[in-house]
Amino acid sequence: MQGKFNNKTKHTKPTQIGIALQGGGSYGAYAKGALKALLRSEFNARTNIAAITGTSAGALNGAMLAYGLNKGGADDAIKHLDGLWDDVKLTGSAMSFWHNLGPLTNLSWPNIPQHKMMMFSFAQAALPQGIAINALKDSVNAQIDDFDILRNGKTALFVNAVKHNKVTQQREHTVFHGNTLNAESIIASGALESLGGIEINGDTYYDGAYWRNPCFADIKRANISDLFVITLQAKPTPPIVAQHQDDARTKGHRKIGYELITHEIHGHLAYIHHTNPALNLHVISLELDPRWNDTSRMNTDPTWLNHLEDLGKKDAQQWLAVHLDDLGKKSTYKPDHGSIGGTNLSIKP
């Protein structure tokens, strides 16, 4: 789509904004729908997306968004987002056909029945390790034909992963950006334990959500006045406790770096709201239906992905209708918090 929204407003300085994209498997299609709605609106004319941070599915969406913006603008970003998810849908269509997972034949829709999940586990064990990772890597390479554009463009990208230290046998958090960005590092951000991780230069990396989902440290240091976050995880029952996700991980996880950060994002947003009052915070959140279970995050049937994308589009359009004029002026996110995590709320990255 070529139109007035692809050109920055001539007489108004655009708002410098950062985008933070959470991981959540197929729920990433929701974020794709929201991003496309923003890019096709006056949001694109009023803002300059200076930096993007993403984890897992958020890293994939972030890579397509940053690459497209750096390459040619909003139209290119939409093109590459669509291209990546078309590949996911192609695989999902085949899986649904062979295993009767579509909405007309699956009584658990959009969840995947337990016996089907067991079949997938057995099939995955029989396949060469890394086959799913390699398929995703091929999709990323098909969309990004010049990684220098991604690495050196005006929109910076940060994706995080967890590295397994062979010496200490511990897991360590790492962030890829600039010259370290390539198909392998982007995929590393979503390399779940069940997929075997991904090897880069002799080291094994796993999904960044085992540590932070997403990582806000670098994007908060970028030259931005506003931070726009798209979340994909269920909200805890109010009141929300303002707590850094690192504290939630160390206090709530039995083995550090092996359990996914999910709903903790909402406490972390309350933490950002408290500790960064000068930062305008905006959030669009997927409202999870209580009937959906974790297997719905693995459902890549095109009908399901299209539904999630439509939800993201509608939520973004609703946010724009109410809050577009607040960009660069004030936060539109007001967390329903009742307490502060810990006795002292110290500022962390």
Side-chain angles (χ1 to χ4, degrees):
M1 159 186 158
Q2 295 289 342
K4 63 180 181 179
F5 295 137
N6 279 342
N7 299 313
K8 301 300 178 186
T9 305
K10 292 182 179 180
H11 304 294
T12 304
K13 187 176 180 180
T15 299
Q16 299 298 307
I17 197 166
I19 304 284
L21 302 171
Q22 198 177 30
S26 61
Y27 293 0
Y30 171 91
K32 175 205 173 190
L35 290 171
K36 287 174 62 176
L38 295 176
L39 292 171
R40 285 174 168 159
S41 75
E42 196 175 346
F43 176 96
N44 182 52
R46 296 191 186 189
T47 64
N48 176 58
I49 300 176
I52 301 165
T53 184
T55 300
S56 199
L60 291 168
N61 280 332
M64 299 304 113
L65 176 61
Y67 178 66
L69 291 174
N70 289 338
K71 183 180 178 182
D75 288 345
D76 279 303
I78 291 170
K79 171 187 171 183
H80 292 294
L81 282 165
D82 282 338
L84 178 80
W85 283 94
D86 283 348
D87 282 352
V88 176
K89 290 176 185 177
L90 186 63
T91 302
S93 180
M95 290 288 288
S96 289
F97 176 78
W98 288 109
H99 297 284
N100 295 318
L101 295 177
L104 299 180
T105 55
N106 177 12
L107 297 179
S108 301
W109 178 266
N111 305 320
I112 299 176
Q114 186 176 4
H115 70 283
K116 297 290 186 181
M117 289 300 300
M118 292 177 64
M119 289 172 57
F120 293 158
S121 297
F122 286 129
Q124 185 171 299
L127 291 171
Q129 190 175 38
I131 190 169
I133 294 292
N134 288 332
L136 277 174
K137 186 167 69 172
D138 289 344
S139 295
V140 171
N141 278 322
Q143 295 304 316
I144 303 178
D145 53 16
D146 186 349
F147 276 91
D148 283 338
I149 293 175
L150 180 65
R151 296 164 183 152
N152 303 318
K154 66 176 184 178
T155 298
L157 174 68
F158 305 92
V159 301
N160 66 314
V162 173
K163 174 184 174 181
H164 185 78
N165 189 311
K166 293 180 180 179
V167 177
T168 64
Q169 293 299 305
Q170 301 294 317
R171 295 203 167 169
E172 306 167 351
H173 186 245
T174 187
V175 177
F176 295 105
H177 62 96
N179 289 335
T180 62
L181 290 170
N182 52 41
E184 287 79 10
S185 58
I186 293 167
I187 295 302
S189 186
L192 289 166
E193 190 91 33
S194 60
L195 298 178
I198 184 172
E199 188 169 304
I200 303 175
N201 298 326
D203 293 308
T204 304
Y205 290 83
Y206 296 96
D207 197 310
Y210 289 121
W211 207 272
R212 291 177 175 177
N213 186 15
C215 177
F216 290 92
D218 296 283
I219 200 167
K220 282 165 55 181
R221 289 193 287 264
N223 183 28
I224 60 172
S225 64
D226 292 53
L227 178 61
F228 204 104
V229 186
I230 301 178
T231 75
L232 307 177
Q233 307 294 340
K235 294 179 181 177
T237 302
I240 294 174
V241 176
Q243 185 180 48
H244 195 288
Q245 58 186 327
D246 285 357
D247 292 332
R249 182 184 66 253
T250 55
K251 294 175 182 177
H253 291 186
R254 291 168 295 177
K255 197 173 182 181
I256 304 301
Y258 289 82
E259 298 178 53
L260 295 172
I261 291 286
T262 55
H263 65 275
E264 294 90 345
I265 179 65
H266 299 289
H268 190 84
L269 291 175
Y271 169 89
I272 292 175
H273 179 74
H274 274 286
T275 58
N276 297 267
L279 182 66
N280 299 322
L281 184 61
H282 316 284
V283 181
I284 294 178
S285 294
L286 171 63
E287 296 293 336
L288 274 65
D289 189 310
R291 293 170 294 182
W292 303 349
N293 65 32
D294 282 345
T295 65
S296 66
R297 303 174 191 274
M298 302 176 67
N299 186 349
T300 54
D301 180 89
T303 302
W304 175 231
L305 296 181
N306 289 338
H307 174 68
L308 289 166
E309 182 176 341
D310 285 343
L311 290 177
K313 175 183 176 181
K314 291 175 183 176
D315 285 351
Q317 289 174 336
Q318 182 178 0
W319 186 93
L320 288 164
V322 178
H323 296 301
L324 179 63
D325 289 336
D326 294 323
L327 285 169
K329 299 176 183 177
K330 65 179 182 179
S331 291
T332 59
Y333 178 68
K334 307 297 181 184
D336 179 18
H337 54 80
S339 60
I340 304 300
T343 55
N344 295 304
L345 195 65
S346 58
I347 298 178
K348 300 179 182 180

